[in-house]
Amino acid sequence: VSRRLEQEAAFEQQADGALGEHERAAMARVICFSQEALRDFSEEHLRARIAAACPSLSATDVAAEAAERAKTAVSLRDVQRVFVFLRFFSACTELVGPRQASARRRALLLAVACVYYVRLDKTFRARFLKRMRELPGEQLEPLTLKVALGEAM
């Protein structure tokens, strides 16, 4: 079973039945993106650290080792943590009326920040925000991760 299918199955298990199909797809997209971004950033970081620590290794060996180690940078437990935080932030926000979708999105973004974003250093955080904005459907969203975090502070 592919990692993406495992993530989607975990998402389906945890997702709120009250969500519409579009909202569920958007949430799944953000969570899957976060997993992939953390894995990519981890691989990049590991490649540099392994090359510095073991200069005698070939670039191919360094890349293979970094790729293997990066596989464990994120897990399905992270998806479960997102839903724990999502429930917490949802409980802190009124989820009724015309702002319901916006409140759920804010809760999701804050959950993603707690599970993924805070693990990154300054450089990777900036790249995470930039890559997230490039996701399909995210370019037009007025409520971004950066905005949600700024409002939460």
Side-chain angles (χ1 to χ4, degrees):
V1 175
S2 78
R3 191 174 302 245
R4 185 144 189 134
L5 289 176
E6 288 174 352
Q7 291 170 352
E8 288 174 8
F11 177 82
E12 287 295 324
Q13 249 183 337
Q14 297 283 328
D16 182 355
L19 298 178
E21 194 60 38
H22 174 71
E23 205 171 15
R24 289 167 70 98
M27 288 176 84
R29 191 171 42 249
V30 168
I31 293 170
C32 286
F33 155 78
S34 300
Q35 293 269 110
E36 290 168 11
L38 264 285
R39 197 174 297 111
D40 291 348
F41 294 155
S42 176
E43 184 174 343
E44 183 179 329
H45 175 76
L46 285 165
R47 214 177 307 120
R49 301 300 301 160
I50 293 168
C54 305
S56 62
L57 284 178
S58 70
T60 304
D61 289 341
V62 168
E65 183 65 21
E68 187 61 32
R69 290 185 186 192
K71 289 178 184 176
T72 62
V74 291
S75 70
L76 290 176
R77 285 190 189 104
D78 293 314
V79 175
Q80 292 169 331
R81 286 183 195 102
V82 168
F83 283 99
V84 168
F85 281 110
L86 180 62
R87 283 190 290 277
F88 172 79
F89 289 118
S90 293
C92 295
T93 309
E94 194 172 329
L95 296 178
V96 295
R99 298 190 52 180
Q100 181 178 8
S102 174
R104 275 201 291 257
R105 178 167 170 78
R106 177 174 284 102
L108 171 66
L109 293 173
L110 293 174
V112 164
C114 288
V115 176
Y116 302 105
Y117 183 79
V118 299
R119 292 159 73 175
L120 302 171
D121 67 14
K122 186 177 180 179
T123 303
F124 283 125
R125 283 181 181 182
R127 289 176 54 196
F128 185 87
L129 292 172
K130 183 178 184 297
R131 279 178 61 177
M132 182 177 252
R133 284 304 279 173
E134 295 168 356
L135 280 174
E138 288 296 312
Q139 297 90 352
L140 302 176
E141 280 288 347
L143 182 58
T144 64
L145 178 58
K146 188 174 183 176
V147 170
L149 283 170
E151 291 174 353
M153 295 297 161

